[in-house]
């Protein structure tokens, strides 16, 4: 007990450093792990399918070229009919990346092991200078 009282600042430093290690993982939980450049490589080299999980009105406003719209609310029902080959890589995106991360977990549950969410979503796609189209 005497050690704790005399070295309280060491305990505080250990706790703060632990929080600083865990905080980026917690913040990034909804961000996805795939960069725009990595997504383009998957599309070009492995024929990845781009799935936009935004709502139809958001999809109509702007989406990545060649993306297919499968709204998150209908994802489990519509994904198997949209992408029949479960071995193909999937690039999942939405406006900012949060819904795409949830869709990634759902896709993996459905057997699409090569599904990845685009970090930063459509905003990151645009910021990287990638083509965007409107419906």
């Amino acid at each position: 007990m005497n050690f704790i009282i005399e070295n309280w600042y060491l305990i505080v430093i250990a706790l703060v450093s632990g929080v600083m290690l865990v905080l980026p993982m917690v913040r990034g939980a909804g961000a996805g792990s795939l960069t725009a450049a990595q997504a383009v490589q998957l599309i070009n080299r492995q024929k990845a399918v781009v799935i936009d999980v935004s709502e139809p009105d958001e999809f109509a406003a702007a989406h990545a070229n060649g993306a297919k719209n499968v709204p998150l609310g209908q994802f489990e029902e519509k994904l198997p009919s949209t992408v029949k080959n479960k071995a193909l890589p999937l690039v999942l995106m939405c406006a900012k990346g949060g819904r795409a991360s949830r869709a990634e977990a759902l896709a993996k549950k459905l057997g699409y092991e090569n599904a990845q969410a685009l970090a930063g979503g459509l905003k990151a796609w645009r910021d990287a200078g990638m083509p965007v189209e409107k419906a």
Side-chain angles (χ1 to χ4, degrees):
M1 189 68 177
N2 200 22
F3 175 81
I4 294 173
I5 293 171
E6 290 177 4
N7 298 299
W8 64 270
Y9 57 91
L10 293 175
I11 295 169
V12 170
I13 290 171
L15 290 173
V16 168
S17 64
V19 168
M20 291 175 71
L21 286 171
V22 172
L23 193 59
M25 288 186 287
V26 172
R27 277 191 187 159
S33 60
L34 191 66
T35 66
Q38 291 169 329
V40 170
Q41 285 182 343
L42 278 175
I43 294 164
N44 291 337
R45 294 181 182 167
Q46 298 180 27
K47 305 293 185 219
V49 180
V50 181
I51 304 290
D52 192 319
V53 297
S54 302
E55 292 302 314
D57 56 329
E58 293 175 290
F59 182 79
H63 58 272
N65 281 4
K68 298 178 181 183
N69 185 224
V70 181
L72 186 60
Q74 304 165 354
F75 193 76
E76 289 183 86
E77 298 85 32
K78 289 191 173 186
L79 184 63
S81 62
T82 305
V83 182
K84 294 183 187 336
N85 185 353
K86 292 185 178 184
L88 281 176
L90 298 181
V91 175
L92 303 165
M93 66 170 50
C94 62
K96 295 183 181 173
R99 287 177 284 181
S101 290
R102 288 186 296 221
E104 179 182 357
L106 289 173
K108 288 186 177 182
K109 185 177 101 176
L110 292 171
Y112 296 88
E113 292 301 320
N114 295 326
Q116 295 183 58
L118 180 68
L122 187 62
K123 181 184 180 324
W125 185 260
R126 280 184 169 157
D127 291 348
M130 301 302 167
V132 175
E133 63 186 9
K134 296 179 182 183

